[in-house]
Amino acid sequence: MPGTRLANKVAIITGATGGIGEATARRFLQEGAGVMLVGRSAEKLAATAERLADFSATATFVADVTDEEAAAAAVAATIDRFGGVDILIANAGTEGRTAPIERQTVANFEECLRTNVIGVWLWMKHCVAPMQQRGGGSMIALSSIAGVVGPREMAPYNASKHAVNGLVKTAANELATTGIRVNAIGPGPIDNRMIRSLEEQILPDDPDGIRVMVMAGIAMNRYGTNEEVANLALFLASDESSYCTGGIHMIDGGLTAA
């Protein structure tokens, strides 16, 4: 049966065509939210919307998250379609290319920082006023275990996710008295496209071998799922988390607890 945990709330989800983005959209729709799906590819957005066709409260907007004009236009379109904005899931991100620090490129560093940091800040920036008009809201940035530890050969990605955590803490402090809560989710290895990309980059000849090694370091001895991340996002988006702000909420099977 449909739930009501997000009844009458409106969410914007960037990176909606990815595994976590789509799973979060589905979970939010199941709980009564209206959802604006944002992605760079019109084709992928259409396919995602088709898979969510059982729900009527969806809309799509094609935007590169690093484009400020597009961010502002997407927020405006959300207000026009649904009447306001209550929730931001700043999910769009890139894993970049793996390499030792001395072999990293400026282009790779810049791409990671623009997408993963500026692409989060811009959408926060343009959601502040609409959320204040609704009396508050919830902003959730997708960070990573790489925001609290430093896996080798991932300097650009690690730096970007540490920056996201700092951004979240600053925004939480600035916006707390306005009723806007700001949190980060820090996934560990999640069984989706991004982790497969990293496995293939780290050990092209035996990506499954990397998976075995990674799982050996996870207390629960498995990868997480997109749906498990979506469930955490639901809690942080809902009024159930009314006293949660400025937190980095890990979902990593115990990997960073070791």
Side-chain angles (χ1 to χ4, degrees), residues 10-12 35-38 58-63 69-85 123 126 130:
V10 178
I12 295 174
V35 178
M36 176 63 80
L37 307 167
V38 179
T58 62
T60 61
F61 197 96
V62 178
E69 289 186 3
V75 172
T78 304
I79 295 169
D80 288 344
R81 170 66 175 81
F82 296 107
V85 179
W123 292 75
H126 288 281

Side-chain angles (χ1 to χ4, degrees), residues 136-149:
S138 176
M139 296 183 179
I140 303 163
L142 267 291
S143 182
S144 167
I145 59 167
V148 297
V149 295

Side-chain angles (χ1 to χ4, degrees), residues 19-68:
I20 290 174
E22 182 174 335
T24 300
R26 181 176 297 279
R27 195 72 185 88
F28 282 16
L29 289 161
Q30 290 170 341
E31 292 294 336
V35 178
M36 176 63 80
L37 307 167
V38 179
R40 290 185 300 178
S41 166
E43 182 178 355
K44 289 181 179 180
L45 270 176
T48 300
E50 179 62 27
R51 288 190 292 272
L52 298 172
D54 289 346
F55 304 96
S56 60
T58 62
T60 61
F61 197 96
V62 178
D64 184 322
V65 293
T66 67
D67 182 335
E68 183 165 14

